[in-house]
Amino acid sequence: MRIAMPLQYSGDLRSAAQQVAELEKVGLDTAWVAEAYGFDGPTSLGYLAARTERVRLGAGILPVYSRTPTLIAQTAAGLDQLSDGRAVLGLGASGPQVIEGWHGVPYRRPLARTRETVDICRRVWAREERLTYDGSVFTLPLPAAQGTGLGKPLKIINHPVRPRVPIYLAALGHKNVAMTAEIAEGWLPFLFLPEKADEVWGDALAEGFAKRPAELGPLEISAGGMLAVGEGEETRQLLDLARPMVALYVGGMGAKERNFYADLAARYGYGAEAERIQELYLAGRKEEAAAAVPHELLELTNLVGPESFVRERIEAMRAAGVTELSVVPLSDDPVRLVERLRGWL
């Protein structure tokens, strides 16, 4: 198993970069940089490239609606060059709240848009010929009827370090997970509950694997949660730190009738709880919504507790196919904690 760590949306980038530089010395393999509607991801990733030597640098995630496929490919190729081949491209559709509310772009055809973005990126990196594309979402060059008619096929000027940057997709729904298993190097599931993974996603993964090209190799899965090791109530209470984030996603990331994260909680068996969280959150009662998040859900989607329990959760993740344990270390000495985790893997 690799070890990964997501950088938080907020916080000081310089401090986070220093921590990543220290953690890579004791076994951190990947740093994932989120974007959402905070600071952009590529700026942080470029800074991390200059501050680190070994760790993989993952965009986790870049929304496929906020940039053209060719710009995404250029960005990943540039990061790969700066980092000597350490880039990982995490992509996702995000959701209508962010895409339409923040970017002002219609949230249409997310599956087709993601699939075509992946295809175009790989064509750009391969640099085998001038880029043309005739898809259902993207047509390159742009047809004359949609523009000036002056567009022409181009090839990326620079020679990418690698003809293939690993692509991980953030996916939750059946069709999206099936597509991920078919076309991506890796999968970024959210709120991953390993004991329910096969029940919730098994059919979708099998559907995608049946179409997966052999050259892609096995699907990598990056999942995990908060990491804290200790006895007693003080450690147990650290799980409460995840409540606002879970409430935000389950309760507020989308409308009442369209929230992917609430749907996931329901598929895990917490349908009534998810509905209550949504009601409270959308009514502006965010603290009550956080308090309504089931403790069991927090316990099973994180690695917090005595060493024996944490190691059991790690093995449950491994049994569910997780190849990269993505953790947020909660400790006064995160370097020592990650070093300890490396010893267990």
Side-chain angles (χ1 to χ4, degrees), residues 160 163 177-178 302 309:
V177 171
N302 290 282
F309 177 78

Side-chain angles (χ1 to χ4, degrees), residues 5-62:
M5 184 180 77
L7 272 65
Q8 303 305 300
Y9 293 117
S10 58
D12 180 62
L13 173 61
R14 294 180 181 85
S15 298
Q18 180 60 39
Q19 185 180 66
V20 170
E22 294 171 359
L23 289 173
E24 77 170 347
K25 297 175 183 177
V26 297
L28 184 69
D29 297 297
T30 307
W32 292 103
V33 177
E35 186 173 84
Y37 46 98
F39 292 143
D40 76 295
T43 297
S44 301
L45 288 163
Y47 183 69
L48 280 171
R51 294 294 308 275
T52 56
E53 298 178 357
R54 184 189 60 81
V55 69
R56 298 196 310 167
L57 305 172
I61 61 169
L62 295 183

Side-chain angles (χ1 to χ4, degrees), residues 265-280:
R267 291 164 74 190
Y268 280 159
Y270 302 102
E273 293 87 342
E275 186 173 348
R276 179 60 176 160
I277 293 167
Q278 277 192 304
E279 290 175 356
L280 292 168

Side-chain angles (χ1 to χ4, degrees), residues 109-179:
R109 307 190 65 192
L111 289 170
R113 190 180 189 98
T114 301
R115 182 182 289 272
E116 292 186 16
T117 296
V118 170
D119 193 14
I120 291 170
C121 281
R122 287 174 174 160
R123 293 185 187 209
V124 169
W125 301 327
R127 206 176 180 274
E128 293 174 348
E129 55 189 21
R130 294 179 184 272
L131 181 65
T132 61
Y133 198 80
D134 186 17
S136 61
V137 177
F138 299 104
T139 303
L140 301 171
L142 193 68
Q146 298 178 35
T148 64
L150 300 176
K152 63 179 182 179
L154 299 170
K155 183 187 292 188
I156 186 171
I157 295 171
N158 311 86
H159 289 260
V161 172
R162 293 181 290 175
R164 194 92 169 225
V165 174
I167 294 177
Y168 283 53
L169 296 181
L172 293 177
H174 181 102
K175 292 181 180 179
N176 208 355
V177 171
M179 179 181 66

Side-chain angles (χ1 to χ4, degrees), residues 98-341:
V98 173
I99 299 307
E100 296 188 354
W102 183 250
H103 294 291
V105 176
Y107 191 81
R108 296 174 183 154
R109 307 190 65 192
L111 289 170
R113 190 180 189 98
T114 301
R115 182 182 289 272
E116 292 186 16
T117 296
V118 170
D119 193 14
I120 291 170
C121 281
R122 287 174 174 160
R123 293 185 187 209
V124 169
W125 301 327
R127 206 176 180 274
E128 293 174 348
E129 55 189 21
R130 294 179 184 272
L131 181 65
T132 61
Y133 198 80
D134 186 17
S136 61
V137 177
F138 299 104
T139 303
L140 301 171
L142 193 68
Q146 298 178 35
T148 64
L150 300 176
K152 63 179 182 179
L154 299 170
K155 183 187 292 188
I156 186 171
I157 295 171
N158 311 86
H159 289 260
V161 172
R162 293 181 290 175
R164 194 92 169 225
V165 174
I167 294 177
Y168 283 53
L169 296 181
L172 293 177
H174 181 102
K175 292 181 180 179
N176 208 355
V177 171
M179 179 181 66
T180 299
E182 178 189 349
I183 69 172
E185 279 86 0
W187 176 31
L188 296 168
F190 181 75
L191 278 180
F192 190 77
L193 202 166
E195 288 84 355
K196 292 283 187 177
D198 186 62
E199 177 184 335
V200 173
W201 292 301
D203 289 345
L205 289 169
E207 182 180 319
F209 288 149
K211 304 174 185 177
R212 186 178 181 83
E215 61 266 23
L216 277 179
L219 181 70
E220 301 285 329
I221 302 176
S222 182
M226 297 187 307
L227 172 67
V229 182
E231 304 283 344
E233 189 62 23
E234 184 176 345
T235 300
R236 178 182 169 87
Q237 288 177 352
L238 290 174
L239 286 170
D240 292 336
L241 295 174
R243 288 185 179 278
M245 183 271 292
V246 176
L248 166 64
Y249 279 84
V250 174
M253 281 294 188
K256 185 77 165 63
E257 65 279 359
R258 191 174 186 186
N259 182 314
F260 307 132
Y261 309 101
D263 292 344
L264 175 62
R267 291 164 74 190
Y268 280 159
Y270 302 102
E273 293 87 342
E275 186 173 348
R276 179 60 176 160
I277 293 167
Q278 277 192 304
E279 290 175 356
L280 292 168
Y281 201 96
L282 295 176
R285 297 156 64 184
K286 296 180 181 180
E287 291 186 3
E288 292 178 64
V293 175
H295 178 83
E296 183 183 61
L297 177 62
L298 297 173
E299 189 173 53
L300 296 177
T301 54
N302 290 282
L303 301 99
V304 174
E307 178 180 330
S308 59
F309 177 78
V310 172
R311 296 182 75 157
E312 285 176 7
R313 300 313 301 152
I314 292 171
E315 291 311 310
M317 292 280 184
R318 194 194 306 274
V322 172
T323 58
E324 180 176 83
L325 201 61
S326 186
V327 299
V328 178
L330 304 178
S331 171
D332 293 335
D333 189 352
V335 172
R336 172 62 185 133
L337 183 56
V338 169
E339 187 176 32
R340 191 176 177 187
L341 176 61

